[in-house]
Amino acid sequence: MISMQRVLWIPIVQKGRLVVLILSLIFLTSCSSDATIDENEPKLRHIALVAPIHAEEQGDAIRLGAEAAAKVYGMVLDYIPLEPSDDEAEQLQAALKVLEKGSSAILIDPASEAVLLKLGDKASAADVPIIALNDERMTTGVLSAIAIHNEAAGRKAGEQLADLLGDRGVVAILRSDREDPDLIAREEGAKSVLSGISGIQIADGAACGKREDACWQAAKQLLDREAVDGILALDIQASLGAAKEVARRNVQGKIKIVTFGSDLEQLQLLQDGILHKLIVQNGFSTGYLGVEQAVKVLDGSKYDKPIVLETKVIDADNMFWMDNQKVLFPFVK
């Protein structure tokens, strides 16, 4: 057990505004990148949760859900953190390191298909089950998966954007420059809806990486090239880049933006009228169910399909509804 400092971001409503209160707490935890199995606890099984990259509040929610489930099921959760600058290479290295140290099971929201394949092969050889989070791919070594249906989520996003535009206008998609099957499925789902509406024209979009500045530049080039009425941003960084450029041009509200995620910055932009709709999944449930599935797999259960979580549509009007508060802010009791 080691002492660590933890920062909690507590959202509150103050005169109709989203305010974030930061609390710094000192607490004891078994979660660290150097976590090893305690020889004095032979009866307790350890489950490792490898942090997602660049996930921010969504990653925190996954961790909180996993911690809650670990307590319920009498497991020890070893959390493997990453630095904000880390990418898929660092995530894979961290996952392989914890595999070598020993763990009953590993939960990971993989940065790419390559991470999942390489880790899965090593874990399968070591007879350690992998539980994939936010990923539908059940490749070698992956014995269960928790994910949203990305094609259906994309359709939902397309419907929301079309509704905001009154089924008329030019839309563009700001996508990732990675060949991510989940994001590709989102785009296909959105296009299947938008292409079927006669008054909607899909313009050439743009692609960017996981850095906000790169996505801002991509959005700038997109809006320099195209006169669009709506933007569908397929991930968090794309949405922040698009929002920054729309605000810079002072056309917030005129260009409708629909995106995915529930980071605090996105929620503030939603209140400010720069983002208009968020397609949100429950990160807490993802972490909780991940540990629950790990326990079941370790006890002999077998799965050949991922567990699919529902998504919600969040806007400035419903973000403070009680049911939505539980999804957006799971760390608030």
Side-chain angles (χ1 to χ4, degrees), residues 87-97 108 114-115 118-119:
D87 219 317
E88 61 181 88
E90 289 79 13
Q91 187 192 47
L92 177 60
Q93 183 180 24
L96 293 175
K97 184 177 179 180
I108 186 170
V115 169
K118 291 176 182 177
L119 176 62

Side-chain angles (χ1 to χ4, degrees), residues 133-209:
L133 307 179
N134 295 323
D135 200 297
E136 301 178 58
R137 294 164 288 199
M138 295 186 64
T139 56
T140 301
V142 179
L143 300 192
S144 186
I146 315 293
I148 65 170
H149 192 301
N150 280 286
E151 197 271 341
R155 290 199 305 269
K156 187 176 290 187
E159 290 166 357
Q160 293 298 316
L161 186 55
D163 184 61
L164 286 167
L165 297 176
D167 290 344
R168 299 191 64 83
V170 179
V171 303
I173 297 175
L174 189 56
R175 61 182 66 86
S176 172
D177 59 5
R178 296 175 293 120
E179 289 295 320
D180 187 320
D182 295 334
L183 298 183
I184 291 172
R186 288 181 189 179
E187 182 171 356
E188 290 175 347
K191 284 183 173 179
S192 70
V193 169
L194 295 170
S195 63
I197 301 174
S198 60
I200 295 288
Q201 177 186 345
I202 303 176
D204 289 337
C208 61

Side-chain angles (χ1 to χ4, degrees), residues 22-43:
I22 303 176
L23 298 179
S24 180
L25 303 177
I26 303 297
F27 70 114
L28 294 177
T29 178
S30 61
C31 308
S32 80
S33 58
D34 296 322
T36 57
I37 295 178
D38 187 346
E39 295 179 355
N40 295 321
E41 296 178 345
K43 294 182 180 180

Side-chain angles (χ1 to χ4, degrees), residues 87-112:
D87 219 317
E88 61 181 88
E90 289 79 13
Q91 187 192 47
L92 177 60
Q93 183 180 24
L96 293 175
K97 184 177 179 180
V98 78
L99 178 63
E100 291 174 2
K101 287 187 174 183
S103 185
S104 297
I106 297 176
L107 277 60
I108 186 170
D109 180 347
S112 68

Side-chain angles (χ1 to χ4, degrees), residues 52-131:
I53 64 170
H54 315 306
E56 301 177 357
E57 284 80 17
Q58 180 75 356
D60 292 338
I62 291 173
R63 176 177 177 172
L64 288 168
E67 289 174 344
K71 291 179 180 178
V72 170
Y73 287 98
M75 309 294 284
V76 177
L77 183 73
D78 298 324
Y79 182 69
I80 316 301
L82 297 175
E83 295 297 326
S85 59
D86 287 345
D87 219 317
E88 61 181 88
E90 289 79 13
Q91 187 192 47
L92 177 60
Q93 183 180 24
L96 293 175
K97 184 177 179 180
V98 78
L99 178 63
E100 291 174 2
K101 287 187 174 183
S103 185
S104 297
I106 297 176
L107 277 60
I108 186 170
D109 180 347
S112 68
E113 186 173 15
V115 169
L116 195 60
L117 290 173
K118 291 176 182 177
L119 176 62
D121 285 343
K122 295 284 188 181
S124 179
D127 198 26
V128 174
I130 300 297
I131 311 299

